[in-house]
């Protein structure tokens, strides 16, 4: 849009201001020179050297240059704001992804801590639903386990006892540590 407005105003400039003599190197003798001149006006450089002699000879040109400058300056400003907004959005998205990854890593670490407590108590590294319920009611390990499970942030309505049946992939009635950790990983991070 900005390029089009420079091109269109350069055509007007060549048509109307070709005969005007200025001391500036920026003139309206051809389309390319006029485009460079209008770009210079657009960025507000050499304004007085370019515009003053033209306005002195053709007073209506002041309206043309003021309108062009306002339009093009807002165009450049819009472009700059767009670039800043895009960069800020990219940084914000990267930060959000990094934060989500850190949160997911923290949750997975807590899952592994829960698994270490649950399966560290059992010699054959399998635990039945009843053994899991006993462990949760245990005075020594129960409170620690409940706090860790709270930090895992299970989906709404799920308890560890519910997970036993859900994660028992081979329907043996007992869970292995691998079934527990892999199943919770799939449950917690299935939408990623």
């Amino acid at each position: 849009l900005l390029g089009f407005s420079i091109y269109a105003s350069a055509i007007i400039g060549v048509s109307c201001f070709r005969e005007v003599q200025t001391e500036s190197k920026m003139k309206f003798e051809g389309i390319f020179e006029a485009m460079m001149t209008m770009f210079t006006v657009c960025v507000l450089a050499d304004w007085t050297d370019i515009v003053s002699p033209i306005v002195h000879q053709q007073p209506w040109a002041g309206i043309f240059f003021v309108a062009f400058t306002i339009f093009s300056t807002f165009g450049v400003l819009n472009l700059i704001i767009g670039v800043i907004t895009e960069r800020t959005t990219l940084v914000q998205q990267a930060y959000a992804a990094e934060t989500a990854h850190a949160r997911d890593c923290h949750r997975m670490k807590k899952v592994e801590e829960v698994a270490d407590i649950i399966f560290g108590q059992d010699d054959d590294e399998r635990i039945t639903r009843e053994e899991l319920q006993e462990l949760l009611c245990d005075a020594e390990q129960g409170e620690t386990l409940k706090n860790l499970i709270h930090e895992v942030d299970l989906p709404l309505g799920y308890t560890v006892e519910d997970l036993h049946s859900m994660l028992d992939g081979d329907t043996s009635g007992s869970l292995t540590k691998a079934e527990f950790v892999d199943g919770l990983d799939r449950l917690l991070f299935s939408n990623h």
Side-chain angles (χ1 to χ4, degrees), residues 12-191:
I12 294 170
V14 169
S15 301
C16 300
F17 311 129
R18 180 184 310 197
E19 305 301 323
V20 176
Q21 296 300 318
T22 65
E23 294 178 16
S24 172
K25 294 177 185 176
M26 298 291 174
K27 300 185 187 275
F28 291 94
E29 293 174 354
I31 292 293
F32 180 74
E33 292 87 0
M35 286 179 68
M36 292 304 294
T37 302
M38 293 311 290
F39 178 75
T40 304
V41 171
C42 170
V43 294
L44 303 176
D46 297 333
W47 172 265
T48 53
D49 294 340
I50 296 169
V51 176
S52 293
I54 295 172
V55 170
H56 183 42
Q57 291 181 21
Q58 298 179 5
W60 66 268
I63 297 169
F64 168 74
F65 283 110
V66 168
F68 171 77
T69 303
I70 289 172
F71 180 75
S72 62
T73 304
F74 282 125
V76 170
L77 185 62
N78 191 23
L79 181 67
I80 292 169
I81 289 172
V83 168
I84 291 170
T85 302
E86 180 183 2
R87 298 291 178 168
T88 303
T89 301
L90 289 174
V91 168
Q92 183 181 17
Q93 289 172 346
Y95 178 74
E98 186 177 312
T99 302
H101 178 71
R103 184 181 65 243
D104 290 347
C105 288
H106 176 75
R107 289 173 74 192
M108 202 58 209
K109 182 179 176 196
K110 294 302 175 185
V111 166
E112 290 170 1
E113 287 180 33
V114 168
D116 288 342
I117 292 172
I118 291 174
F119 295 99
Q121 300 292 322
D122 201 16
D123 292 337
D124 62 358
E125 292 201 20
R126 294 187 80 78
I127 191 164
T128 63
R129 186 179 180 99
E130 293 76 26
E131 290 172 330
L132 181 60
Q133 287 173 339
E134 287 175 19
L135 189 58
L136 287 170
C137 294
D138 183 58
E140 184 180 322
Q141 297 291 333
E143 195 61 38
T144 304
L145 205 52
K146 287 177 185 173
N147 288 336
L148 286 172
I149 291 168
H150 180 71
E151 288 186 56
V152 168
D153 194 23
L154 291 175
L156 190 61
Y158 284 95
T159 64
V160 177
E161 294 94 344
D162 296 332
L163 292 175
H164 188 280
S165 299
M166 199 157 124
L167 301 178
D168 185 14
D170 59 4
T171 63
S172 63
S174 62
L175 272 179
T176 65
K177 186 174 185 178
E179 285 177 320
F180 184 81
V181 172
D182 293 342
L184 272 177
D185 183 41
R186 284 191 311 274
L187 178 68
L188 295 174
F189 308 117
S190 64
N191 62 345

